[in-house]
Amino acid sequence: MARVTQLNVNGSTRRIDADSDRTLLSVLRDDLDLTGTKFGCGEGQCAACTVLVDGIAAKSCQIKVGAILGKQITTIEGLAPTGKLHVMQQAFLDHDALQCGYCTPGMILGAVSLLRKNPSPTEADIATGMNGHVCRCGTYPRVVAAIRDASRKGGVR
């Protein structure tokens, strides 16, 4: 079985020793201790495990590490590398768009990806773009408000 020895994560090359058929989620959490990426359903249905792969939202529970060699992975920990919150993170705080917080990292990264594709989405665009992100606490109206606010403040940086 092929081994993966490094990944590009959050702007740096990280050394690992992983079977190429392991999921990105397991490598991020278990090998790199990046626990902001959450295990939800394990079937790609809830999007709690969303990360950015080359800037596009991807469900890390469905991606094998061997399939993403050379790609740039961004987790919630890497979204604000200077220590200042990303515009989307601040918008989620400002609009209280979280309760338990379990889905929040995946939601934020999904929203960043959405704004990269569509910097000025309508409410319908947001609903469509965030379809599949499950929040058991039901904060959807606040999530939409946060994304709209972040879009007005240039949330694509």
Side-chain angles (χ1 to χ4, degrees):
M1 182 169 304
R3 307 291 294 173
V4 176
T5 59
Q6 65 183 29
L7 285 178
N8 298 322
V9 180
N10 297 332
S12 64
T13 300
R14 301 286 303 267
R15 298 260 175 232
I16 61 169
D17 181 24
D19 291 333
S20 62
D21 66 341
R22 282 184 56 204
T23 65
L24 175 58
L25 175 63
S26 72
V27 171
L28 290 171
R29 290 183 60 80
D30 300 338
D31 297 9
L32 299 177
D33 201 29
L34 295 170
T35 57
T37 305
K38 304 301 183 198
F39 178 86
C41 67
E43 298 177 354
Q45 299 297 311
C46 72
C49 66
T50 298
V51 297
L52 301 178
V53 177
D54 287 342
I56 299 170
K59 296 171 184 169
S60 64
C61 74
Q62 299 295 294
I63 300 170
K64 304 296 183 194
V65 292
I68 57 165
L69 296 176
K71 297 186 183 289
Q72 180 58 51
I73 299 134
T74 305
T75 68
I76 195 69
E77 292 93 344
L79 197 57
T82 63
K84 182 178 183 218
L85 291 179
H86 184 277
V87 172
M88 189 64 69
Q89 290 170 310
Q90 188 61 55
F92 266 64
L93 284 173
D94 292 346
H95 291 273
D96 199 23
L98 52 121
Q99 273 184 262
C100 79
Y102 200 81
C103 68
T104 306
M107 287 251 192
I108 288 172
L109 290 168
V112 168
S113 179
L114 168 66
L115 292 188
R116 286 182 177 161
K117 291 181 217 165
N118 181 356
S120 300
T122 65
E123 191 168 318
D125 294 334
I126 294 169
T128 299
M130 295 300 288
N131 188 30
H133 284 270
V134 177
C135 172
R136 297 204 45 167
C137 300
T139 63
Y140 300 113
R142 290 180 272 171
V143 167
V144 171
I147 295 170
R148 292 194 77 181
D149 186 35
S151 74
R152 288 190 288 270
K153 294 177 180 172
V156 295
R157 73 164 170 96

